[in-house]
């Protein structure tokens, strides 16, 4: 089974080739143009995808030693994401599918983050997944491929968004998540006790209260204090976010007592979260799946492997497939 994966839902243009259970190439062209604006500018993102997609896909073919003629399917991120960005990847995939007469598969980007775990771990069900990205914080119970029961979801800011917005108000560059992670490693997580929002209320997530709390704290303490104690403040914010995520995951285990748990999405690259979830798994005697860093943040390998799972069941889509910004 040979599948090409294409990802263009936000600000990474990516292509990957999957061959018989292995990822043979995983090319990512990140867009640095957004840094100066402190966030992704949709119009600029679409233009940058358009400029780099051909080069990215060609490189993925070349590195894998695969030609378009060899493909069994072309998988492409269909949504959720920025419509203009998704359109570039989708149109490119459709063109390729039409030219080489290959089946096309539209992939849900959030599902792909989950199934990225099966690049390096055995495919196993049922599992409980915690998806933590820039747009979503979601707890799902999965008993068979693509049968997802959503146990908890984002009420306002997603976990990655919380890292990015709080980082921005602390003066850190976009995206602040990875920077805060690095600074936290030499900081004291107990320096200040930020709120652990909604830990006793169901399985949904809310991080906007934490953002407000961090804003008031930094205003009250002043710029000089914040800059002097930045590592400790970053560690304290990270502790609050990762505590909430771990506590909710443990609660979800009471509702769906599974043997396998997994982390997925950009925030699963966070060292504090990886450590806390690994400890939870150890305490409960569970198998934990956490992707390597390269498969945590947006990439096309996750699209390719999810495509392979769908191609296995001949779940193909037509050339009239449309992108979607949100999941209804
Ligand atoms: O999954 P992803 O690459 O894109 C979306 O689908 O949203 O996630 C991006 C998010 C950003 O908010 C980024 O700051 C966050 O993941 N992120 C991290 C880390 N690496 C990426 N957050 C905390 N610690 C990290 N190491
Ligand atoms: Zn993503």
């Amino acid at each position: 089974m040979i599948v090409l994966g294409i990802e263009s839902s936000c600000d990474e243009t990516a292509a990957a080739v999957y061959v018989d259970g292995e990822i043979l190439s995983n090319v990512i062209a990140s867009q640095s143009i957004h840094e100066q604006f402190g966030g992704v500018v949709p119009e600029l993102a679409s233009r940058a995808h358009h400029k780099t997609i051909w080069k990215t896909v060609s490189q993925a073919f070349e590195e894998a030693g695969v030609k378009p003629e060899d493909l069994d399917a072309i998988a492409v991120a269909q949504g959720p994401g920025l419509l203009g960005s998704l359109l570039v990847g989708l149109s490119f995939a459709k063109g390729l599918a039409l030219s080489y007469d290959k089946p096309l598969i539209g992939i849900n980007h959030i599902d792909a983050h989950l199934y990225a775990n099966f690049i390096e771990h055995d495919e196993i069900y049922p599992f409980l997944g915690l998806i933590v990205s820039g747009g979503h914080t979601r707890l799902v119970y999965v008993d068979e491929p693509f049968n997802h029961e959503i146990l908890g979801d984002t009420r306002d800011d997603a976990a990655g968004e919380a890292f990015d917005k709080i980082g921005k108000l602390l003066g850190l560059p976009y995206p602040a998540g990875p920077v805060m992670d690095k600074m936290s490693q030499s900081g004291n997580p107990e320096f200040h006790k930020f709120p652990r929002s909604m830990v006793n209320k169901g399985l949904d997530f809310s991080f906007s209260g934490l953002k407000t709390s961090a804003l008031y704290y930094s205003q009250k303490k002043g710029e000089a204090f914040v800059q002097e104690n930045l590592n400790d403040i970053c560690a304290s914010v990270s502790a609050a976010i990762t505590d909430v995520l771990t506590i909710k995951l443990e609660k979800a285990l009471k509702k769906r007592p599974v043997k396998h748990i997994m982390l997925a999405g950009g925030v699963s690259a966070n060292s504090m979260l990886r450590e806390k979830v690994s400890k939870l798994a150890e305490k409960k005697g569970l198998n934990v799946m956490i992707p390597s860093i390269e498969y945590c943040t947006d990439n096309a390998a996750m699209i390719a492997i999810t495509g392979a799972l769908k191609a296995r069941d001949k779940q193909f889509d037509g050339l009239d497939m449309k992108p979607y910004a949100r999941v209804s």
Side-chain angles (χ1 to χ4, degrees), residues 116-135:
N117 274 291
F118 295 151
I119 295 172
E120 300 157 297
H121 301 276
D122 290 341
E123 189 187 351
I124 201 154
Y125 305 91
F127 65 81
L128 202 63
L130 173 61
I131 308 161
V132 273
S133 69

Side-chain angles (χ1 to χ4, degrees), residues 7 9-10 80 109-110 113 132-136 265-266 296-299 302:
E7 157 63 36
S9 62
C10 191
H109 177 94
I110 313 169
H113 272 301
V132 273
S133 69
H136 296 85
C296 287
T297 45
D298 288 351
N299 65 86
M302 68 184 197

Side-chain angles (χ1 to χ4, degrees), residues 94-116:
K94 284 180 185 178
L96 209 59
L98 198 59
S99 316
Y100 289 92
D101 194 21
K102 299 292 178 188
L104 190 65
I105 308 172
I107 302 290
N108 176 306
H109 177 94
I110 313 169
D111 290 357
H113 272 301
L114 269 187
Y115 294 108

Side-chain angles (χ1 to χ4, degrees), residues 7 9-12 80-81 109-110 113 131-136 158-165 173-182 184-185 238 241-242 264-274 293 295-299 302:
E7 157 63 36
S9 62
C10 191
D11 58 343
E12 324 271 5
H109 177 94
I110 313 169
H113 272 301
I131 308 161
V132 273
S133 69
H136 296 85
E161 209 177 348
F163 271 112
D164 295 341
K165 287 182 175 171
Y174 175 87
V179 187
M180 283 186 82
D181 185 4
K182 202 151 182 231
S184 299
Q185 286 165 24
S238 303
I241 296 174
T242 54
V267 180
S268 59
N270 185 269
S271 53
M272 210 183 266
L273 182 64
R274 293 168 88 91
I293 303 291
Y295 301 132
C296 287
T297 45
D298 288 351
N299 65 86
M302 68 184 197

Side-chain angles (χ1 to χ4, degrees), residues 17-326:
V17 175
Y18 165 101
V19 181
D20 295 334
E22 272 188 69
I23 295 296
L24 294 194
S25 62
N26 185 29
V27 182
I28 304 181
S30 296
Q31 304 176 357
S32 54
I33 187 157
H34 307 287
E35 276 163 26
Q36 57 187 304
F37 301 104
V40 177
V41 183
E43 176 65 25
L44 296 178
S46 321
R47 285 169 194 247
H49 284 306
H50 191 254
K51 241 184 180 171
T52 44
I53 193 153
W54 174 237
K55 219 166 75 188
T56 310
V57 173
S58 305
Q59 196 181 330
F61 276 130
E62 202 177 302
E63 285 182 18
V66 164
K67 292 193 194 74
E69 297 89 313
D70 307 330
L71 294 174
D72 290 300
I74 298 167
V76 59
Q78 188 182 0
L82 301 170
L83 275 183
S85 291
L86 287 163
L87 258 179
V88 178
L90 218 62
S91 307
F92 190 90
K94 284 180 185 178
L96 209 59
L98 198 59
S99 316
Y100 289 92
D101 194 21
K102 299 292 178 188
L104 190 65
I105 308 172
I107 302 290
N108 176 306
H109 177 94
I110 313 169
D111 290 357
H113 272 301
L114 269 187
Y115 294 108
N117 274 291
F118 295 151
I119 295 172
E120 300 157 297
H121 301 276
D122 290 341
E123 189 187 351
I124 201 154
Y125 305 91
F127 65 81
L128 202 63
L130 173 61
I131 308 161
V132 273
S133 69
H136 296 85
T137 315
R138 177 173 290 176
L139 272 165
V140 285
Y141 169 74
V142 183
D143 58 357
E144 57 179 89
F146 307 105
N147 193 28
H148 300 178
E149 180 191 1
I150 299 176
L151 302 176
D153 215 346
T154 319
R155 285 271 182 96
D156 40 56
D157 291 348
E161 209 177 348
F163 271 112
D164 295 341
K165 287 182 175 171
I166 295 171
K168 190 174 180 181
L169 68 90
L170 295 174
L172 301 174
Y174 175 87
V179 187
M180 283 186 82
D181 185 4
K182 202 151 182 231
M183 300 186 87
S184 299
Q185 286 165 24
S186 37
N188 173 12
E190 284 163 23
F191 182 73
H192 180 76
K193 180 100 180 165
F194 286 106
R196 271 65 173 159
S197 311
M198 281 182 43
V199 275
N200 296 315
K201 274 198 220 151
L203 293 174
D204 282 346
F205 301 90
S206 164
F207 290 109
S208 67
L210 172 64
K211 182 184 61 189
T212 311
S213 166
L215 175 68
Y216 289 162
Y217 178 78
S218 58
Q219 282 174 346
K220 191 173 130 204
K221 295 288 184 181
E223 178 70 16
F225 177 90
V226 168
Q227 293 311 318
E228 248 168 56
N229 300 284
L230 204 48
N231 289 350
D232 293 332
I233 297 170
C234 284
S236 302
V237 169
S238 303
I241 296 174
T242 54
D243 266 358
V244 171
L245 296 172
T246 318
I247 292 167
K248 296 262 180 180
L249 178 59
E250 188 166 2
K251 278 187 154 192
L253 278 166
K254 290 207 177 95
K255 203 164 175 185
R256 294 284 176 269
V258 293
K259 292 197 176 68
H260 313 283
I261 59 173
M262 62 162 68
L263 271 182
V267 180
S268 59
N270 185 269
S271 53
M272 210 183 266
L273 182 64
R274 293 168 88 91
E275 198 186 316
K276 284 182 185 172
V277 171
S278 300
K279 274 197 184 142
L280 172 71
E282 205 181 304
K283 184 176 92 179
K284 301 255 177 202
L286 304 174
N287 165 40
V288 62
M289 295 171 261
I290 305 179
S292 296
I293 303 291
E294 65 177 315
Y295 301 132
C296 287
T297 45
D298 288 351
N299 65 86
M302 68 184 197
I303 304 293
I305 189 141
T306 312
L309 292 178
K310 288 204 157 193
R312 188 174 66 185
D313 293 333
K314 305 232 172 329
Q315 292 183 44
F316 301 129
D317 293 288
L319 285 168
D320 56 349
M321 181 172 73
K322 291 184 178 61
Y324 51 88
R326 296 171 186 283

